[in-house]
Amino acid sequence: MESAEKRLNTFSTRVRQLIIQYQELKNENADLYTMVDERDIKIKQLEEQLDLAKKSYESLKIARMIEVSDTDMESAKKRLSKLIRDVNKCLTLLSEK
């Protein structure tokens, strides 16, 4: 009898331990899903910002090219190069986030 009770107690203890481990893993899994959802939202926001920056860059590029006359071509090229570098920096910063 004692042996059967001892086995039953051991079995019972192990089942409780498994239940506790299951609950811990379930909570960890829920936390990980929450993190993934938050990252997805952040990625979507950054993609929207990047699209907006690209559109603004294209508009600015067109506006600057229209503004340029033959005599101002060299200074316009320099301004455009600087603008491109600035936009590239912005895009790099956005992609790092």
Side-chain angles (χ1 to χ4, degrees):
M1 272 299 203
E2 244 181 74
S3 176
E5 286 180 26
K6 187 175 181 180
R7 286 184 195 163
L8 186 58
N9 284 338
T10 302
F11 179 74
S12 209
T13 302
R14 289 187 180 160
V15 167
R16 275 188 241 121
Q17 288 173 344
L18 285 173
I19 290 171
I20 290 170
Q21 285 179 345
Y22 167 76
Q23 288 173 342
E24 288 173 354
L25 288 174
K26 187 177 173 183
N27 290 339
E28 183 181 355
N29 192 29
D31 291 342
L32 291 173
Y33 272 107
T34 301
M35 284 175 55
V36 168
D37 290 342
E38 289 172 357
R39 297 282 168 110
D40 287 344
I41 290 169
K42 185 67 174 174
I43 288 170
K44 186 176 179 181
Q45 289 173 344
L46 289 173
E47 285 174 344
E48 289 172 356
Q49 288 177 357
L50 179 61
D51 288 340
L52 181 62
K54 284 180 181 178
K55 288 177 185 175
S56 296
Y57 170 69
E58 288 299 319
S59 296
L60 182 61
K61 194 164 70 167
I62 291 170
R64 292 291 182 186
M65 291 307 290
I66 291 171
E67 182 181 306
V68 173
S69 67
D70 291 338
T71 57
D72 295 334
M73 190 59 81
E74 189 61 35
S75 64
K77 284 182 182 179
K78 289 179 183 178
R79 283 191 314 216
L80 187 57
S81 294
K82 183 184 180 311
L83 289 172
I84 290 171
R85 284 193 304 273
D86 290 342
V87 170
N88 284 337
K89 285 178 188 177
C90 291
L91 292 175
T92 302
L93 290 174
L94 284 173
S95 67
E96 289 176 357
K97 291 182 182 181

Short mmCIF file of all heavy atoms in Angstrom, two decimals, residues 13-37:
data_model
loop_
_atom_site.label_atom_id
_atom_site.label_comp_id
_atom_site.label_asym_id
_atom_site.label_seq_id
_atom_site.Cartn_x
_atom_site.Cartn_y
_atom_site.Cartn_z
N THR A 13 2.64 14.91 -8.03
CA THR A 13 3.61 16.00 -8.00
C THR A 13 4.09 16.33 -9.40
O THR A 13 4.18 17.50 -9.78
CB THR A 13 4.80 15.63 -7.10
OG1 THR A 13 4.32 15.33 -5.79
CG2 THR A 13 5.80 16.76 -7.03
N ARG A 14 4.39 15.33 -10.18
CA ARG A 14 4.87 15.55 -11.55
C ARG A 14 3.79 16.18 -12.43
O ARG A 14 4.09 17.04 -13.26
CB ARG A 14 5.37 14.24 -12.15
CG ARG A 14 6.67 13.81 -11.51
CD ARG A 14 7.27 12.63 -12.17
NE ARG A 14 8.51 12.25 -11.51
CZ ARG A 14 9.07 11.08 -11.61
NH1 ARG A 14 8.53 10.14 -12.36
NH2 ARG A 14 10.20 10.82 -10.98
N VAL A 15 2.57 15.76 -12.24
CA VAL A 15 1.46 16.35 -13.01
C VAL A 15 1.33 17.83 -12.66
O VAL A 15 1.17 18.68 -13.54
CB VAL A 15 0.14 15.59 -12.77
CG1 VAL A 15 -1.05 16.39 -13.31
CG2 VAL A 15 0.19 14.22 -13.41
N ARG A 16 1.43 18.18 -11.38
CA ARG A 16 1.36 19.59 -10.96
C ARG A 16 2.50 20.39 -11.56
O ARG A 16 2.32 21.52 -12.00
CB ARG A 16 1.38 19.69 -9.43
CG ARG A 16 -0.01 19.52 -8.83
CD ARG A 16 0.00 19.84 -7.34
NE ARG A 16 -0.41 18.61 -6.66
CZ ARG A 16 0.29 17.94 -5.76
NH1 ARG A 16 1.44 18.41 -5.32
NH2 ARG A 16 -0.14 16.83 -5.24
N GLN A 17 3.70 19.78 -11.56
CA GLN A 17 4.86 20.47 -12.15
C GLN A 17 4.63 20.70 -13.65
O GLN A 17 4.96 21.77 -14.17
CB GLN A 17 6.13 19.65 -11.94
CG GLN A 17 6.62 19.64 -10.52
CD GLN A 17 7.79 18.69 -10.31
OE1 GLN A 17 8.05 17.82 -11.14
NE2 GLN A 17 8.47 18.84 -9.18
N LEU A 18 4.09 19.71 -14.34
CA LEU A 18 3.81 19.87 -15.77
C LEU A 18 2.77 20.95 -16.01
O LEU A 18 2.87 21.73 -16.96
CB LEU A 18 3.35 18.55 -16.37
CG LEU A 18 4.44 17.51 -16.61
CD1 LEU A 18 3.82 16.19 -17.06
CD2 LEU A 18 5.42 18.01 -17.64
N ILE A 19 1.78 21.00 -15.16
CA ILE A 19 0.74 22.03 -15.30
C ILE A 19 1.35 23.41 -15.11
O ILE A 19 1.06 24.35 -15.86
CB ILE A 19 -0.42 21.79 -14.30
CG1 ILE A 19 -1.21 20.55 -14.73
CG2 ILE A 19 -1.33 23.01 -14.21
CD1 ILE A 19 -2.24 20.10 -13.71
N ILE A 20 2.23 23.55 -14.11
CA ILE A 20 2.89 24.83 -13.86
C ILE A 20 3.77 25.22 -15.06
O ILE A 20 3.75 26.36 -15.52
CB ILE A 20 3.72 24.78 -12.56
CG1 ILE A 20 2.78 24.71 -11.36
CG2 ILE A 20 4.64 25.98 -12.45
CD1 ILE A 20 3.48 24.41 -10.05
N GLN A 21 4.53 24.26 -15.58
CA GLN A 21 5.36 24.54 -16.75
C GLN A 21 4.51 24.93 -17.95
O GLN A 21 4.86 25.84 -18.70
CB GLN A 21 6.21 23.32 -17.10
CG GLN A 21 7.38 23.10 -16.18
CD GLN A 21 8.17 21.85 -16.55
OE1 GLN A 21 7.71 21.01 -17.33
NE2 GLN A 21 9.36 21.74 -16.00
N TYR A 22 3.38 24.23 -18.12
CA TYR A 22 2.48 24.55 -19.23
C TYR A 22 1.97 25.98 -19.11
O TYR A 22 1.95 26.74 -20.08
CB TYR A 22 1.32 23.56 -19.25
CG TYR A 22 0.19 23.99 -20.16
CD1 TYR A 22 0.31 23.88 -21.54
CD2 TYR A 22 -0.97 24.54 -19.64
CE1 TYR A 22 -0.71 24.29 -22.38
CE2 TYR A 22 -2.00 24.95 -20.46
CZ TYR A 22 -1.86 24.83 -21.84
OH TYR A 22 -2.87 25.23 -22.66
N GLN A 23 1.57 26.38 -17.90
CA GLN A 23 1.05 27.73 -17.71
C GLN A 23 2.14 28.78 -17.96
O GLN A 23 1.87 29.82 -18.55
CB GLN A 23 0.48 27.87 -16.29
CG GLN A 23 -0.81 27.12 -16.10
CD GLN A 23 -1.29 27.11 -14.66
OE1 GLN A 23 -0.52 27.37 -13.74
NE2 GLN A 23 -2.57 26.80 -14.48
N GLU A 24 3.37 28.50 -17.52
CA GLU A 24 4.47 29.43 -17.76
C GLU A 24 4.73 29.57 -19.26
O GLU A 24 4.92 30.68 -19.77
CB GLU A 24 5.73 28.96 -17.04
CG GLU A 24 5.66 29.11 -15.55
CD GLU A 24 6.85 28.47 -14.84
OE1 GLU A 24 7.69 27.81 -15.50
OE2 GLU A 24 6.95 28.62 -13.60
N LEU A 25 4.74 28.45 -19.97
CA LEU A 25 4.97 28.49 -21.41
C LEU A 25 3.82 29.19 -22.14
O LEU A 25 4.04 29.92 -23.11
CB LEU A 25 5.17 27.08 -21.97
CG LEU A 25 6.49 26.41 -21.60
CD1 LEU A 25 6.50 24.96 -22.08
CD2 LEU A 25 7.66 27.17 -22.20
N LYS A 26 2.63 28.97 -21.66
CA LYS A 26 1.46 29.62 -22.25
C LYS A 26 1.56 31.14 -22.09
O LYS A 26 1.31 31.90 -23.03
CB LYS A 26 0.19 29.10 -21.58
CG LYS A 26 -1.09 29.57 -22.20
CD LYS A 26 -2.27 28.92 -21.50
CE LYS A 26 -3.57 29.49 -21.97
NZ LYS A 26 -4.72 28.93 -21.25
N ASN A 27 1.97 31.60 -20.90
CA ASN A 27 2.15 33.04 -20.66
C ASN A 27 3.27 33.60 -21.52
O ASN A 27 3.16 34.70 -22.08
CB ASN A 27 2.43 33.30 -19.18
CG ASN A 27 1.23 33.04 -18.30
OD1 ASN A 27 0.10 33.05 -18.77
ND2 ASN A 27 1.46 32.79 -17.03
N GLU A 28 4.37 32.86 -21.61
CA GLU A 28 5.49 33.32 -22.43
C GLU A 28 5.07 33.42 -23.90
O GLU A 28 5.42 34.38 -24.60
CB GLU A 28 6.67 32.35 -22.29
CG GLU A 28 7.90 32.77 -23.06
CD GLU A 28 9.05 31.79 -22.92
OE1 GLU A 28 8.93 30.81 -22.15
OE2 GLU A 28 10.06 32.01 -23.60
N ASN A 29 4.32 32.44 -24.36
CA ASN A 29 3.84 32.44 -25.74
C ASN A 29 2.93 33.65 -26.00
O ASN A 29 3.05 34.32 -27.03
CB ASN A 29 3.09 31.13 -26.02
CG ASN A 29 2.81 30.93 -27.48
OD1 ASN A 29 3.55 31.39 -28.34
ND2 ASN A 29 1.75 30.22 -27.79
N ALA A 30 2.07 33.95 -25.05
CA ALA A 30 1.18 35.11 -25.19
C ALA A 30 2.00 36.40 -25.26
O ALA A 30 1.72 37.29 -26.07
CB ALA A 30 0.18 35.16 -24.04
N ASP A 31 3.04 36.49 -24.41
CA ASP A 31 3.91 37.67 -24.43
C ASP A 31 4.62 37.80 -25.77
O ASP A 31 4.74 38.90 -26.33
CB ASP A 31 4.96 37.58 -23.31
CG ASP A 31 4.34 37.73 -21.93
OD1 ASP A 31 3.19 38.22 -21.83
OD2 ASP A 31 5.01 37.34 -20.95
N LEU A 32 5.08 36.68 -26.30
CA LEU A 32 5.77 36.72 -27.59
C LEU A 32 4.83 37.13 -28.72
O LEU A 32 5.21 37.90 -29.60
CB LEU A 32 6.41 35.36 -27.89
CG LEU A 32 7.59 34.98 -26.99
CD1 LEU A 32 8.02 33.54 -27.27
CD2 LEU A 32 8.75 35.93 -27.19
N TYR A 33 3.61 36.64 -28.69
CA TYR A 33 2.63 37.06 -29.70
C TYR A 33 2.35 38.57 -29.60
O TYR A 33 2.22 39.25 -30.62
CB TYR A 33 1.32 36.27 -29.58
CG TYR A 33 1.32 34.99 -30.37
CD1 TYR A 33 1.41 33.76 -29.75
CD2 TYR A 33 1.23 35.02 -31.76
CE1 TYR A 33 1.42 32.59 -30.48
CE2 TYR A 33 1.23 33.85 -32.50
CZ TYR A 33 1.32 32.64 -31.86
OH TYR A 33 1.33 31.47 -32.58
N THR A 34 2.28 39.07 -28.39
CA THR A 34 2.07 40.50 -28.20
C THR A 34 3.24 41.30 -28.77
O THR A 34 3.04 42.31 -29.45
CB THR A 34 1.90 40.82 -26.69
OG1 THR A 34 0.80 40.07 -26.19
CG2 THR A 34 1.67 42.29 -26.47
N MET A 35 4.46 40.82 -28.51
CA MET A 35 5.63 41.50 -29.05
C MET A 35 5.62 41.50 -30.57
O MET A 35 5.93 42.51 -31.21
CB MET A 35 6.92 40.81 -28.55
CG MET A 35 7.27 41.12 -27.12
SD MET A 35 8.69 40.18 -26.51
CE MET A 35 9.94 40.59 -27.70
N VAL A 36 5.26 40.38 -31.17
CA VAL A 36 5.21 40.29 -32.63
C VAL A 36 4.16 41.26 -33.19
O VAL A 36 4.41 41.96 -34.18
CB VAL A 36 4.91 38.83 -33.08
CG1 VAL A 36 4.57 38.77 -34.56
CG2 VAL A 36 6.11 37.94 -32.79
N ASP A 37 3.01 41.32 -32.55
CA ASP A 37 1.96 42.24 -33.00
C ASP A 37 2.43 43.70 -32.91
O ASP A 37 2.19 44.50 -33.82
CB ASP A 37 0.69 42.05 -32.18
CG ASP A 37 -0.01 40.73 -32.48
OD1 ASP A 37 0.29 40.13 -33.55
OD2 ASP A 37 -0.84 40.31 -31.65
#
